[in-house]
Amino acid sequence: MHLYHTPWLFRKFYPKEVVWRMSAKKKILYLTFDDGPTTEITNWLLSTLDKYNARATFFCVGENVAKHPEIYDRLIEKGHAVGNHTYNHLNGWKTGIVDYAENVSKAKDLINSKLFRPPYGKIKRSQARLLNNLDYDIILWSVLTYDFDKKLDKKEAWKKIVKYSKPGSIIVFHDHVKAFENLKELLPKTLEYFQSKEFTFEKIIL
């Protein structure tokens, strides 16, 4: 079962410090890309976003930034936002608070941002409170595309993206090889469709 949007009841189990969506006052969507940068995907993403004059937010894994600093720099040069996605893509539910904080801090040495997204969307209340005390804004999502699922029904995914994307929605895609087959179909369709509906795509700024 795929939860393409985050139900209100589900959100109650998460810390109140988490951001699920942006302001709905204007027709703006917030595309986000997790897990990069990658040599295979990131440059394609930048070219595709450029075609639609779209800006996005890239939640980067520290070890990938260390491997590809020039691609990371290009994200910023192109006017996109970046966020911290831990150094080693840690699962917060399986990691102690000290180890988690140290891993986020290690990523911070490479990723200049106070935006943070927990890998897998999994973070304990204690971890969230600590990161908030360190002035991080914890960003989750309104719409999850499941582009990482190799068995994804792309037609169904597209219907759900259209159904659940509203002004202020934060939409998750992945800057990862395993997502590319789905990404290369769903992302251009998302950009073209919503632009035709007079939406714009902006990076997250808090």
Side-chain angles (χ1 to χ4, degrees):
M1 178 181 174
H2 287 155
L3 287 175
Y4 288 93
H5 76 119
T6 312
W8 175 82
L9 184 62
F10 185 80
R11 298 179 191 183
K12 290 185 67 176
F13 293 98
Y14 276 78
K16 64 181 180 180
E17 298 87 356
V18 166
V19 175
W20 294 95
R21 62 180 301 112
M22 302 292 282
S23 170
K25 292 180 180 180
K26 296 181 180 180
K27 294 180 75 172
I28 300 171
L29 294 175
Y30 297 86
L31 298 177
T32 64
F33 300 93
D34 290 3
D35 300 349
T38 61
T39 54
E40 301 89 348
I41 312 300
T42 310
N43 287 327
W44 179 85
L45 285 171
L46 291 174
S47 297
T48 303
L49 292 169
D50 271 352
K51 289 178 184 178
Y52 296 89
N53 195 30
R55 295 294 172 266
T57 304
F58 288 77
F59 287 93
C60 299
V61 174
E63 63 181 345
N64 288 339
V65 175
K67 292 174 185 175
H68 311 297
E70 72 290 346
I71 303 178
Y72 172 81
D73 290 341
R74 191 160 180 249
L75 294 174
I76 297 167
E77 290 166 5
K78 286 287 188 177
H80 302 288
V82 294
N84 189 322
H85 202 45
T86 75
Y87 193 88
N88 298 110
H89 204 264
L90 293 188
N91 182 332
W93 293 357
K94 297 180 179 180
T95 309
I97 188 170
V98 173
D99 289 342
Y100 198 76
E102 288 178 350
N103 204 265
V104 173
S105 180
K106 186 176 180 180
K108 176 180 176 291
D109 291 339
L110 298 171
I111 302 165
N112 183 22
S113 176
K114 285 297 186 179
L115 300 178
F116 177 79
R117 173 173 285 160
Y120 315 102
K122 295 179 178 180
I123 189 167
K124 298 173 185 173
R125 291 179 184 274
S126 58
Q127 294 163 343
R129 283 194 296 268
L130 175 61
L131 293 180
N132 280 151
N133 288 338
L134 294 172
D135 295 326
Y136 282 97
D137 293 303
I138 301 170
I139 312 296
L140 286 178
W141 55 78
S142 323
V143 180
L144 181 60
T145 63
Y146 288 93
D147 56 341
F148 54 84
D149 183 353
K150 291 186 177 181
K151 296 181 179 179
L152 184 70
D153 181 336
K154 289 191 279 292
K155 289 183 179 179
E156 180 67 13
W158 171 240
K159 289 178 184 178
K160 299 299 186 183
I161 291 169
V162 171
K163 179 178 180 179
Y164 293 120
S165 296
K166 310 293 182 185
S169 288
I170 299 171
I171 304 172
V172 181
F173 289 97
H174 288 80
D175 183 355
H176 196 289
V177 172
K178 67 182 179 182
F180 191 47
E181 280 301 311
N182 295 320
L183 180 67
K184 68 183 181 182
E185 179 173 331
L186 293 174
L187 178 60
K189 287 178 72 170
T190 299
L191 289 161
E192 186 168 346
Y193 176 82
F194 284 102
Q195 199 170 77
S196 75
K197 301 296 182 183
E198 300 184 339
F199 279 80
T200 59
F201 299 90
E202 296 188 8
K203 61 187 178 183
I204 294 173
I205 300 176
L206 293 172

